[in-house]
Structure formats: C-alpha cells, structure tokens
Amino acid sequence: MSVANAILQGIFLGAFYAVLACGLSLMFGVMRIINLAHGDVAVLGAYVVLVIVQSTGLSPLVAFVIALPAMIAFGYVLQLTVLQRALKAGILTPLLATFGLSIVIQNLLLLRFSPDVHSLGASAGALTTESWNVFGSITISALGLVVLAVALVVFAALHLFLSRTRPGWRMRATAEDPDAAELIGIDSRHVYARATAIAVAIAGLGGLFLAIRSVFDPVSGPTQLIFAFEAVVIGGMGSLWGTLLGGLALGVAQTLGAQLNPEYAALSGHLLFLAVLILRFGGVNLARFGARA
Amino acid sequence: MKVRRWTRTSKLFTGGTGMVALLLASVPLAFSPDIVQKTTTLLILVLLAAMWNALAGYGGLLSVGQQAFIGLGAYGTVFFAGFGMPPYIAMVVALVVTGSLSIPISLFALRLRAAQFAIGMWVIAEVASISVRLDQDLGAGTGISLSQLYQYDPNYRQAYTFWLALAFTAVFLAALFFLLRSPLGASLQAIRDDEDAARSLGVRVAARKRLLFVLAGFGCAAAGVLIVANTLFIEPGSVFSVQWSAYMIFMVLVGGLGTFEGPILGAILLFAIQTTFTQGGPWYLVGLGATAALFALLLPRGLWGTIEERLGLRLLPVGYQVVDKK
C-alpha cells in the first residue's frame, strides 16, 4: 500500500514538474532552443508573488494573477532583446546567453532578497493543510489535486491554442518552417516573442507551486531547470503531451526512490533520465522496436 | 600567394612561452607561499579554460557538467590517499582513474546534441555529487580534508603543489597545441568551422569529438586534483558546483572561443577580477554572467578572436594563414 501511496504522491509531484517543464517544451518545440534560465525565471515568478503577498496580504493565487501581466511582458521583452539575437547566431549561442542570464537572475535575487529561504505555504491557507485519507494508507492532499488539475488545464489549453486558434496555427507554421511562414506573411519575431511570453507565464505558475509546496531561495532555479528538462526529455523532446507524461514519470520515479531512502529521491529521477537517453540514443529505440515486431 | 604557419612574432612568442614556463617554475623559490598559492589558482584556471575551449571551441560540445570530472578528480585523490598511498602519488593515480571515466561516459554522452549534451553532462555531475554525499567515508555532504598533506612543511607543500600544477597545465596545453597542429588538428578546426561540411569531406567527426571529450575529461580531473592539493579541503557542494562551468564559460567566451590563446587570456582576466574583488559577492557574479552573455551575443569570437581578426596576429600558431605575396 505504501508503494501505491508513493505512486500517487509521485503523480502529484510529477504534475508540478510538468507545469515547470511546459514552457521549456513549448520554446523548444517552436524555436528549437532550451532556455537555461527557465528555472530561474520560475523562481523569479515565486519572488514576485512573494512581494505582492507580503505587501498586500492577498492569497498567493490572487497575487499570481496580478503578477501575470508582468511575467508575460518580461517574456516578450526577453525574446526581443536577448533570445532573438541568440537564435540567429547558431545552436550554441542561445545556451551560452541563457546560462549567463541564469547567473544574473540568481545573483540579482540574492542581492534583493538575501540567501534566506522563503515559502508561501503558510499564506495559502487550507490549500496546503487539507488532506484526506483513503483506504488507510493513501493520502490525497488538496494541493496535490489542485496542481494536477491545473496541470491538465494548462496542457489542454495550450493544445487547444495550438490546434484551434489562428495565433496557434501561426506558431505551428513558424515552428515547422520559419522561412516559409515569413513568405505567407507571418512575422516570426512576433510569434517567437509570444511563445516565450507564454513559456515565462507558465514558468511563473510553476514557481508559484514551488513556493506553496515547499521552500525556495535565490539559487533554487538550476535544480528546477534540471527537473523540467528531465521531464521534457523523458516525454520526448518536441511533444507537448509527452512532456506531461514525462513530468509524471519523473515524479513517480522520485517518490519511489524516496521510498527506499529519502536521499535517493533526486538520484532516481536522474537515473531514469539517463536511462531514457541511453535507450533512445544508444541504438535502442522502443517505439521502432514495437513497430518492427 | 603562399601559405604560412609561423611568423616572426609567433616564433618569438612561442619561444617566449617556453621561457615563461621555466620562469614560472622558479616562483616557489622566490615568492611567499601566499603568492605561490594564488599562482597555483591561476594555473588551475588556465587549465580549465583550455579544456572547456577544447570541447566547445573545437568540438562544438557545450558542457555545463565538466565539474563532474573536477569533483571526481578531487575526491579520487582523497580516496586513494586514504589507502595509504603517498599523497602526490595518489594525485596521479586519481587523475588516471577518474580521467579514464571519460571514456565510458563519452560512449553515451556524445550521442547527445546541443542542449541534451549540455544538461546531460550536468545531470552526470549531479549524480556524481549525490553519490559522494551518500558515502560516509568520503565525509558525505560536509566535506573532507586531504589530511595526508599535513605531514609536509607548508612551504614545501605549497611548492610541490605548484610544480605539479605547472606540470599538469604545461602537459595538457602542450598536448592540445600539438594535437591542433597535427593533421588531426586540421580536421578538428574543420569541425569547429562547419561540422556538416567536415563530415561530408570525410572527417570522422565522432572519433575526433571523442578525442577532445577524453582530453577535456582528463584535464578537468587534473584541475580537480590540483584544487584539493591547493585548498586541502573539499566538499561536494562546492567542488561539484555548476559555478565551475560558469567560470569556464566566462573565461572562454571573453578570451575567445575556438582560439588557442584566448582562453589563457580569459583565465588571466578572471584571475585579475577575482583578486580585485576579493569579497566576491553577488554583484561580481552578476557582472560575470552579464559579460559572458554579452560576449556570446555581441562578440562571439571573444577578445582574442577579435584581435586576431583585426591584426592578423598569431602568437601560438595552430592553424595556417594565407598571405598575399606582393
């Protein structure tokens, strides 16, 4: 039964990773770049919410809605100023530029907020305390359910946006072939900026969940980036729904590892990630394996 | 038109570099242990920058996980010294053993591209770091000191460590220098300029990249060995820190990605900055990160690459130049 509970908790945890990874996956899908500052952007979002909560006493969820326009604007500007230029300069430049950006964000946060850890768990009220026991050993927490539901809504909304709306079609066309998209009058700069704005907004949501679930500090970003990237790779790079599944798989791997020894949590997630990479690029392709049989 | 490798300046300078190495060897005889320790740090930075540049500048492999080898080299030294090996022997053994780990890792890592390789290496460093944290005999998360070195008089110890650092740095830089000048080197520089074009001309890209990866693995392990010898104490949180990657990226980008001299210049600059801003602190790191990002975006060939381009200057020639003969 404790294994069943661990799997359920893993799904709740994995839903959080999926939200963190969603924007990373979108940016990779549209622009073929990985933003190494993605985790720091999420943590930045958590700090923005923290500042609003501290100065107004509002609930973190309301504070996030207030912070949202600022996050979207930040994503837009980030794309137009830094990423657009990096994009044109080859495959390594976006990684180098966003790695530099990551260090800048972390240390600006350190300067402004000190290295102290913060949490928004206490200000989220019943959301973090409410939980129900089922069949004795299985615990369902209100927070876990909310994160899972929000994750499903975010992925479904993004899917509908990409498949049913005009801006979504433009984004997919640009992802497919930016030059051809330009020929039919799509401004790729604008499309890319929109994708980054969405990615930053969802990263901010991930930061909000991070802050409510546990604690964060100015240098929490890199760990979040690694987990988010692992979710993207486990699910298959370039696949949006794959990222959701990848996040869930990563969460379950971590909680199952923690069953053995709490210190194995991150380690078992890393090992799953490396195993997936070896299987996919080590000459063994599970998908093709099935097709050949 | 004719093709040349050596110019008068480059001959003078390469000879001069040999002289500088010899002069450096006398540093422990002439200066205080404090200066010897600082110079050791500079040599470690030069070594790290050159190795990261070998990977990224020539192999197009951007790693944010070379701290895996730094940490393994450092912990390997403590591990082998724990068996009763003389500490300086343990350092060489640790270098060989942990550097060799780059061979099995390369079989897997080199199949990854761009971001997958970058973050894949980072995850490998995290796994190495967690493994050390789980080992009580290696001090777990709190760190461990290389107590076997305390048996030496501090002045002698500092001098021995310095000479070892000089030897490692000279050997790895010379290896890279001669590798780049060999016929193999021409193919490496072709990969740097355009991987697909190089492949279509019959360059065995995968094998060449493996060579660079293993060289950089050994070089970073050597740096790790030197770090524990220089500071006597290590903990997983700092020796496996991604900060090392930040330093390497800064040095190489500012100095000049894909140039031989650039990373050395970058290391000297970083060392100068570190000695000036001894408090370190967040502002210094904000500056470091912002500078690296700006160089990547605006001056991708770095300071040295730009100087080379403008002045046609070659100090340590690893390529050839075409000159118009009037």
Side-chain angles (χ1 to χ4, degrees):
Chain A
M1 270 322 236
S2 60
V3 171
N5 189 46
I7 292 177
L8 183 70
Q9 303 312 318
I11 290 175
F12 290 151
L13 177 64
F16 159 61
Y17 290 149
V19 173
L20 269 182
C22 185
L24 200 64
S25 181
L26 177 70
M27 283 175 71
F28 181 80
V30 174
M31 291 175 273
R32 305 277 137 191
I33 63 172
I34 287 293
N35 174 10
L36 290 181
H38 189 77
D40 306 292
V41 169
V43 172
L44 177 68
Y47 273 104
V48 173
V49 172
L50 179 77
V51 168
I52 298 176
V53 168
Q54 281 178 345
S55 55
T56 63
L58 289 167
S59 122
L61 300 181
V62 179
F64 174 73
V65 175
I66 298 174
L68 203 51
M71 295 297 286
I72 291 172
F74 174 63
Y76 212 90
V77 172
L78 176 67
Q79 177 66 38
L80 292 183
T81 51
V82 177
L83 298 180
Q84 188 63 37
R85 192 180 267 275
L87 204 56
K88 283 184 290 188
I91 55 167
L92 295 188
T93 314
L95 290 171
L96 293 168
T98 54
F99 188 78
L101 181 68
S102 153
I103 297 167
V104 170
I105 295 178
Q106 281 169 41
N107 288 286
L108 286 178
L109 287 175
L110 264 175
L111 281 166
R112 171 69 182 76
F113 296 100
S114 83
D116 299 344
V117 293
H118 290 281
S119 174
L120 289 171
S123 28
L127 185 61
T128 43
T129 51
E130 203 70 52
S131 70
W132 303 275
N133 273 327
V134 206
F135 308 125
S137 66
I138 292 186
T139 312
I140 300 177
S141 65
L143 181 61
L145 277 182
V146 167
V147 173
L148 181 59
V150 170
L152 292 173
V153 167
V154 165
F155 277 83
L158 200 51
H159 174 80
L160 288 177
F161 167 74
L162 289 171
S163 61
R164 296 287 166 82
T165 69
R166 256 169 207 288
W169 295 344
R170 290 198 195 100
M171 202 170 279
R172 277 163 56 212
T174 313
E176 202 69 43
D177 188 337
D179 297 331
E182 292 270 350
L183 284 179
I184 56 167
I186 298 174
D187 179 2
S188 68
R189 275 164 44 97
H190 182 67
V191 171
Y192 288 159
R194 197 173 262 177
T196 305
I198 297 172
V200 167
I202 303 176
L205 184 62
L208 171 73
F209 288 154
L210 168 73
I212 296 178
R213 294 183 51 95
S214 60
V215 295
F216 62 100
D217 63 35
V219 292
S220 299
T223 312
Q224 310 308 316
L225 167 76
I226 290 184
F227 291 156
F229 186 75
E230 286 177 341
V232 173
V233 168
I234 292 169
M237 289 180 90
S239 154
L240 198 59
W241 289 107
T243 298
L244 176 63
L245 292 178
L248 297 180
L250 178 68
V252 171
Q254 288 192 355
T255 50
L256 283 180
Q259 266 312 93
L260 298 173
N261 177 344
E263 298 191 66
Y264 290 170
L267 184 64
S268 36
H270 293 330
L271 294 180
L272 173 67
F273 164 77
L274 293 175
V276 167
L277 281 182
I278 289 172
L279 286 176
R280 195 168 295 149
F281 297 100
V284 188
N285 187 323
L286 288 179
R288 269 195 220 142
F289 192 74
R292 216 181 295 142
Chain B
M1 220 168 66
K2 74 173 193 182
V3 174
R4 71 174 181 193
R5 166 161 267 168
W6 291 102
T7 62
R8 180 173 295 162
T9 329
S10 67
K11 274 181 192 159
L12 276 172
F13 193 82
T14 308
T17 308
M19 291 298 291
V20 168
L22 284 178
L23 274 177
L24 273 175
S26 62
V27 162
L29 307 175
F31 294 97
S32 69
D34 179 49
I35 291 180
V36 177
Q37 188 180 20
K38 287 220 169 83
T39 319
T40 309
T41 307
L42 172 63
L43 288 172
I44 295 172
L45 290 179
V46 169
L47 176 58
L48 284 173
M51 291 301 112
W52 199 85
N53 180 49
L55 268 186
Y58 293 98
L61 296 163
L62 194 157
S63 166
V64 267
Q66 289 310 104
Q67 64 271 20
F69 294 105
I70 299 177
L72 287 171
Y75 270 98
T77 306
V78 176
F79 178 76
F80 288 112
F83 280 125
M85 264 182 213
Y88 284 99
I89 304 289
M91 288 175 199
V92 177
V93 174
L95 165 62
V96 172
V97 172
T98 58
S100 306
L101 287 177
S102 61
I103 298 168
I105 293 176
S106 77
L107 296 179
F108 151 71
L110 291 182
R111 292 177 183 273
L112 311 177
R113 288 183 63 92
Q116 285 179 344
F117 175 79
I119 304 181
M121 287 303 298
W122 194 353
V123 170
I124 288 173
E126 287 294 303
V127 168
S129 169
I130 295 174
S131 308
V132 165
R133 278 171 213 268
L134 290 174
D135 191 336
Q136 295 300 330
D137 292 341
L138 289 176
T142 52
I144 195 163
S145 51
L146 186 59
S147 48
Q148 290 83 352
L149 271 188
Y150 293 142
Q151 58 179 292
Y152 297 92
D153 174 88
N155 290 325
Y156 284 108
R157 182 182 70 216
Q158 208 61 66
Y160 293 151
T161 303
F162 176 85
W163 281 319
L164 190 68
L166 186 62
F168 280 174
T169 308
V171 165
F172 279 100
L173 257 68
L176 183 63
F177 184 66
F178 288 109
L179 179 69
L180 291 175
R181 288 170 54 90
S182 72
L184 253 161
S187 62
L188 290 172
Q189 304 199 24
I191 296 174
R192 173 195 66 186
D193 293 338
D194 188 335
E195 189 175 322
D196 293 326
R199 188 177 287 113
S200 73
L201 289 171
V203 173
R204 290 171 55 218
V205 173
R208 298 293 176 269
K209 284 188 173 186
R210 172 152 303 128
L211 190 65
L212 290 172
F213 185 83
V214 171
L215 175 73
F218 272 90
C220 290
V225 165
L226 296 171
I227 286 166
V228 69
N230 201 29
T231 60
L232 302 181
F233 176 81
I234 42 168
E235 48 165 342
S238 62
V239 82
F240 284 107
S241 164
V242 71
Q243 195 123 323
W244 289 113
S245 286
Y247 289 151
M248 288 187 251
I249 290 175
F250 173 85
M251 292 185 285
V252 173
L253 282 183
V254 171
L257 183 71
T259 64
F260 188 83
E261 300 90 336
I264 303 174
L265 177 65
I268 294 170
L269 281 174
L270 179 65
F271 178 75
I273 295 169
Q274 281 184 343
T275 352
T276 321
F277 300 95
T278 37
Q279 276 83 14
W283 275 120
Y284 149 78
L285 288 165
V286 168
L288 227 57
T291 313
L294 286 176
F295 267 88
L297 292 172
L298 305 175
L299 209 59
R301 301 218 57 207
L303 292 176
W304 190 255
T306 311
I307 293 173
E308 228 178 44
E309 216 166 2
R310 296 276 160 80
L311 306 179
L313 197 61
R314 300 286 187 282
L315 296 186
L316 296 166
V318 293
Y320 295 92
Q321 269 180 300
V322 178
V323 279
D324 283 320
K325 207 173 169 189
K326 302 243 166 72

